[in-house]
Amino acid sequence: MVDYNAQTIAYPAPGSRPSRLGAEQVSPHVVVLFGATGDLSRRKLLPGLAHLALSALTPDIEVVGTSLEDYDDESFRAFAKSALAEFSHRQLTTEQWDRFAKRLCYVPQSKGPAGLVKAVADAEQSLGSPEEEVRRLHYLSVPPAAATAVISMLRDANLVDRSRVVMEKPFGTDLASANQLNDFVHQPFDERQMFRIDHVLGTEAGQNILAFRFANGLFEPIWNRNFIDHVQIDIPETLGLDRRAGFYESTGAYKDMVVSHLFQVLAFVAMEPPTALEPRSISEEKNKVFRSLLPVDPHDVVRGQYAGYRSEEGVARDSDTETFIALKCGIDNWRWAGVPFYLRTGKRMAEGQRIISIAFKEAPKTMFPPGSGVGSEGPDHLTFDLADESKVSLSFYGKRPGPGMKLDKLSMQFSTQETDRVSDVLEAYERLILDAMRGDHTLFTTAEGIESLWERSTPLLENPPPVRPYAQGTWGPNAIHQLIAPHAWRLPFERTWREKR
């Protein structure tokens, strides 16, 4: 178990098997990390794998890194050590690092399928388990254009059996390319082996949406068009291209973030109760939401591009790629008909946040005297912060102490940092890698779901509105206020989150 308040982690000793918080034991795994020297691997995957490998969660794993760089085992271990020192939230002792380093090996892609086969075979032998018990997890941390080449290599290397594949977004760029990619992937792998990753749903708060909705008699009866006025899903980023101009120029904010992330969050907010909290039932309900999603109307979309984007290295000087997008969409079913969903995301914005805000319909105000303050700060909201340190807030009007009837906006807040189980929190990529090892598709996207979303995106992709400039460090183009009127964007917050004392 991890103690976030400590300076080091009390990882179990080699060979020991403490309990895994009630979860079933994970089979021994060889993790083949494609794009092992890339930015995602450096920031998230290697630190996450180190934690999983050293903890009692997945004690029996070996990591085979592969990429274009001509590294050997020792230079890859040096790369990984530097990545952990810079990006890991957990400090490793020298002994802990040595234990993890022994699990790392590297094979350059120039060695071809034969080199990869040998590296995987050696790693499987190092696990010391019968071959039929060892599983393989192929993590494709590569640009979308390289995904088919990796799938082909796995097929040619006969590394399909006992395997699961984690694919990074985006999954295609339109309906035709998504169909083509799924057809290609399904030649060597069946759908049960595929795990299309969305790290936003891997957070504690992402799953807490399901708990709030379906476990509480307070919220479940009012989670519909009769009581909810509108919904906002807001994921602004302060980061820029981060050396990904080649990828971003062909993708943009909509394909990169909305289809792969924001629509997935929308499905958790809008889905009907599943018959059970298990992967197949949840996927069925999510896919029903996607089928009920109205086609995205270009008139309900604001595209933006931050000032200076066209001067970035690798960006065309006349680029029409959006670095920001805000849109209004709707779901045509009995629960949500008429309720607008507002989505916003972008690069180089004022703050980095991951917020879902549920706005409830306002009560009549005529009984309150003029100047009481009722309604002055908008409707009541239930707000989910999807950060790793997840928070939930419920805002409402209450009487200000003193004479007369003056009302202020108050809030009740909850944070995982305030519980005695904070040490159990996994970061998003750690949870999703663990779920993929366990074969749990709950937080992943299906082929059917992705194809439905691209189909509903067709009107926007065929007729996108022009990009509007916005200054770096702002909340996007001014047109976003007309898009959401008569409502207002919840970010920036008018209140701050309460900090743990």
Side-chain angles (χ1 to χ4, degrees):
M1 185 176 292
V2 182
D3 181 0
Y4 280 71
N5 298 316
Q7 292 300 309
T8 59
I9 312 167
Y11 288 118
S16 64
R17 286 184 178 273
S19 67
R20 290 189 49 247
L21 309 177
E24 72 238 29
Q25 189 64 48
V26 177
S27 300
H29 267 76
V30 172
V31 179
V32 184
L33 184 54
F34 291 89
T37 59
D39 191 64
L40 178 61
S41 175
R42 187 168 57 101
R43 290 176 177 271
K44 295 294 184 180
L45 303 183
L46 286 170
L49 286 168
H51 170 56
L52 293 175
L54 294 171
S55 71
L57 298 170
T58 57
D60 295 329
I61 70 173
E62 296 283 325
V63 179
V64 177
T66 181
S67 192
L68 297 175
E69 280 73 16
D70 193 22
Y71 285 177
D72 57 17
D73 291 351
E74 289 308 312
S75 54
F76 179 58
R77 288 167 184 160
F79 173 87
K81 187 174 185 179
S82 174
L84 266 64
E86 185 175 359
F87 296 108
S88 179
H89 296 284
R90 308 174 178 94
Q91 181 180 339
L92 270 61
T93 65
T94 301
E95 185 271 338
Q96 289 162 354
W97 161 250
D98 289 341
R99 284 167 53 194
F100 179 59
K102 291 177 182 177
R103 301 171 183 265
L104 297 175
C105 69
Y106 184 85
V107 55
Q109 289 189 12
S110 59
K111 298 289 186 181
L116 185 61
V117 168
K118 183 179 185 307
V120 171
D122 291 345
E124 290 179 338
Q125 188 173 8
S126 297
L127 287 170
S129 300
E131 179 180 288
E132 63 273 10
E133 294 183 8
V134 177
R135 301 199 66 90
R136 303 154 179 164
L137 184 70
H138 306 302
Y139 197 114
L140 275 58
S141 179
V142 298
T148 55
V150 173
I151 295 296
S152 297
M153 175 179 279
L154 293 173
R155 179 197 60 208
D156 296 342
N158 293 318
L159 293 175
V160 174
D161 292 341
R162 297 180 281 115
S163 293
R164 298 182 177 116
V165 178
V166 179
M167 292 187 67
E168 280 286 340
K169 56 150 176 96
F171 317 106
T173 56
D174 55 21
L175 179 58
S177 61
N179 287 334
Q180 184 178 11
L181 178 60
N182 283 328
D183 289 345
F184 184 86
V185 168
H186 287 155
Q187 292 175 22
F189 295 97
D190 62 46
E191 182 64 16
R192 292 173 298 176
Q193 294 175 278
M194 299 306 303
F195 292 78
R196 299 167 186 82
I197 197 166
D198 170 21
H199 69 268
V200 175
L201 291 185
T203 62
E204 286 286 337
Q207 297 165 82
N208 215 10
I209 298 169
L210 300 182
F212 260 78
R213 285 197 55 191
F214 302 128
N216 295 294
L218 176 63
F219 295 110
E220 193 280 331
I222 62 173
W223 209 266
N224 56 61
R225 57 190 171 89
N226 296 320
F227 298 94
I228 292 177
D229 185 78
H230 66 278
V231 178
Q232 294 182 34
I233 301 174
D234 217 342
I235 306 184
E237 297 180 301
T238 57
L239 296 174
L241 298 187
D242 200 19
R243 297 176 295 179
R244 297 196 308 159
F247 160 75
Y248 208 79
E249 270 289 86
S250 62
T251 306
Y254 184 81
K255 297 175 182 178
D256 182 40
M257 289 292 293
V258 177
V259 175
S260 303
H261 291 324
L262 276 72
F263 279 152
Q264 306 303 321
V265 175
L266 180 149
F268 263 32
V269 173
M271 63 189 279
E272 294 296 318
T275 55
L277 285 178
E278 54 88 17
R280 183 172 181 177
S281 296
I282 291 176
S283 293
E284 286 176 352
E285 297 305 331
K286 287 174 60 182
N287 288 342
K288 289 179 184 177
V289 173
F290 298 147
R291 290 195 295 269
S292 300
L293 190 68
L294 293 170
V296 180
D297 188 340
H299 295 97
D300 292 330
V301 176
V302 175
R303 296 171 69 235
Q305 188 182 89
Y306 66 75
Y309 173 77
R310 295 178 181 178
S311 300
E312 300 266 11
E313 183 178 355
V315 174
R317 295 300 173 256
D318 59 349
S319 173
D320 189 51
T321 300
E322 80 278 357
T323 62
F324 168 95
I325 193 156
L327 64 145
K328 179 175 72 172
C329 56
I331 300 172
D332 189 19
N333 63 18
W334 283 96
R335 183 181 293 268
W336 295 111
V339 176
F341 285 73
Y342 298 99
L343 281 55
R344 177 173 64 166
T345 186
K347 299 285 188 184
R348 296 290 188 192
M349 298 186 69
E351 296 178 26
Q353 296 275 7
R354 287 179 282 181
I355 297 293
I356 303 171
S357 187
I358 314 293
F360 295 99
K361 290 187 175 180
E362 297 189 69
K365 308 179 183 68
T366 53
M367 65 176 286
F368 293 95
S372 65
V374 65
S376 61
E377 296 185 60
D380 300 337
H381 283 86
L382 177 64
T383 303
F384 296 88
D385 184 343
L386 302 186
D388 288 323
E389 296 181 3
S390 61
K391 305 180 182 76
V392 181
S393 172
L394 179 63
S395 69
F396 53 92
Y397 286 98
K399 183 183 178 301
R400 183 188 306 171
M405 181 57 73
K406 296 288 187 179
L407 288 88
D408 289 326
K409 207 60 175 291
L410 310 175
S411 69
M412 293 187 292
Q413 297 184 8
F414 160 80
S415 171
T416 55
Q417 301 303 301
E418 297 173 347
T419 73
D420 58 2
R421 301 302 297 270
V422 63
S423 59
D424 293 347
V425 174
L426 292 175
E427 291 190 334
Y429 279 99
E430 295 168 355
R431 177 182 302 280
L432 293 169
I433 291 172
L434 179 61
D435 283 354
M437 289 181 180
R438 296 169 61 190
D440 186 341
H441 281 86
T442 302
L443 303 177
F444 295 86
T445 306
T446 66
E448 178 188 347
I450 284 295
E451 291 173 3
S452 292
L453 291 174
W454 283 123
E455 182 178 4
R456 279 136 190 85
S457 301
T458 299
L460 174 62
L461 299 179
E462 291 181 346
N463 187 30
V467 293
R468 302 167 184 259
Y470 66 97
Q472 297 187 36
T474 65
W475 292 101
N478 289 332
I480 62 172
H481 303 297
Q482 287 75 47
L483 175 69
I484 202 171
H487 314 298
W489 293 99
R490 287 275 284 162
L491 285 179
F493 271 140
E494 68 271 18
R495 294 178 305 282
T496 58
W497 290 105
R498 182 181 68 242
E499 297 298 329
K500 180 182 178 182
R501 295 180 180 177

